[in-house]
Each structure stands twice: as structure tokens, then as C-alpha cells.
Amino acid sequence: GHAVAQGSPLARGAAWFAGRTATPPASQPSPAMGFSPGAVTSSAVEQIGELTPAHLQHAQHLIESLPSVLRTAAQTSTGAQAIVFAMLLDRRDPKVRSKQLAYLDSPSLGPVAALTPRVAGAADKLEVEQRLPLLDLALPALARLNPQEIEQWQTHLDALIAADQRLDLFEWALRQVVWRHLVAPERGGRGGKR
């Protein structure tokens, strides 16, 4: 083990945790604990909004790592709609997924309904970090939908999201991106088509 200096923040924290003192230690990170709050904060703030070659290389790697069937489908409005629907299909609960697929089996969805199950296998294998970049690739094709098509598609999107009666972080983020880039511009709000 390592010797801990008596009176150090680490020693005070250990004493409190062990029940030897009544007052918890100050919760401020300190250099003695291996943190340097000023350096971490200033470094993080300085990097906000800066794209480094490492960031660009990582983004390029994410896009290249997407299955080609998804990258290709993302180029058409039908394929882009199907990809987003496929990413929303529940991967944990087969009953919810069946309910979602039954919902998608609607004449109003036409070719999107037929394509969604075909891209779902590839979408199911996506890593979490690949999902938003794929959505980003699909946005230009989705932006080619007319306002009525966007509104109808959004209704279907909301139904798929609501199928499990929960809203996870990805669903929330996807909904925000769709609103900002597709719905709000059509209604004169903030955002913009790509």
C-alpha cells in the first residue's frame, strides 16, 4: 500500500468514510487527490469548438466503419427514413419490436415499410457512437422530403419512439436533431436544412 499523509484530503476522506470523524471532508478536488481543477477546466474550455486532426480522423473512421448498406441507403429519402426507423426498433424487448414492426407494416409507408426490416439487421449491429453520425448522413436525404412528408414521417417516428412507453437518450437526441434540422425550418423556426 501507499502511505497517506496525515491531514491530507485523502486521509480526511478515509477517516470520514471509516466513521472516525463526524464531518465529511470538503468535496473540492485537489492536487493531493490527483486532480488539478484549474488545469482541467482551462484545458477543456480552450478545446470547446476546436476541431483537431484527431477529431477529424475519428469522425472519418466512424463514417467509414458504418456498414455500406446503411451508407448507401442514407443517400435516398426512402432509405434515410428506413434507417431512422430501423435505429428506433427495440433491441431489448422482442414484444416491443414486434409491435413496432406491425406498426410499420402500413400501406401509408409504402417502400419505407419494406426497406426498414432489410436495413434493421445492419442497424442493430451499430455501436452507440455510430448512430448519430449515421443520422447525420441521412439528414440531407430527409431534408428533400416536402413539408407534408416530413410531418407524416415525424408522426411515424413518434409512434415508434412511444412503443415502449420510455424515452431513452438516443431517442431524445434523434428527436431533437429531427426537429432542429427538418421540422423547425419548415415552421420558420431555428435550424436549417443541410
Side-chain angles (χ1 to χ4, degrees):
H2 299 306
V4 176
Q6 207 165 24
S8 73
L10 189 57
R12 288 192 305 271
W16 176 77
F17 185 74
R20 289 184 285 208
T21 63
T23 38
S27 62
Q28 295 292 330
S30 72
M33 297 171 132
F35 299 103
S36 180
V40 170
T41 303
S42 66
S43 174
V45 169
E46 289 170 9
Q47 291 181 19
I48 292 175
E50 282 190 37
L51 287 177
T52 66
H55 292 138
L56 295 173
Q57 185 177 17
H58 180 68
Q60 185 64 35
H61 170 73
L62 281 175
I63 291 168
E64 289 171 356
S65 70
L66 294 170
S68 63
V69 66
L70 297 177
R71 285 195 319 255
T72 302
Q75 315 252 330
T76 68
S77 59
T78 299
Q81 292 175 76
I83 285 171
V84 174
F85 288 166
M87 287 193 295
L88 290 172
L89 294 175
D90 199 296
R91 293 186 281 174
R92 294 179 304 263
D93 188 338
K95 289 180 184 176
V96 172
R97 188 179 183 101
S98 292
K99 181 178 171 182
Q100 290 171 313
L101 288 169
Y103 175 84
L104 289 173
D105 191 20
S106 163
S108 68
L109 286 169
V112 175
L115 186 55
T116 301
R118 295 202 324 246
V119 297
D124 285 346
K125 295 175 185 168
L126 291 174
E127 298 292 328
V128 171
E129 68 179 0
Q130 292 176 303
R131 298 173 93 188
L132 286 177
L134 179 57
L135 175 61
D136 197 49
L137 279 180
L139 283 174
L142 293 170
R144 290 192 295 266
L145 297 170
N146 69 45
Q148 183 183 3
E149 290 171 322
I150 289 173
E151 193 171 316
Q152 290 172 343
W153 181 72
Q154 183 185 3
T155 299
H156 299 305
L157 185 84
D158 290 342
L160 291 176
I161 289 172
D164 63 359
Q165 300 178 350
R166 291 187 320 261
L167 180 68
D168 67 28
L169 182 59
F170 173 72
E171 292 167 339
W172 179 85
L174 184 143
R175 192 74 179 79
Q176 296 302 310
V177 169
V178 165
W179 175 262
R180 178 156 173 78
H181 292 279
L182 302 175
V183 179
E186 294 300 330
R187 296 185 179 172
R190 290 184 50 206
K193 288 186 178 182
R194 293 180 166 195

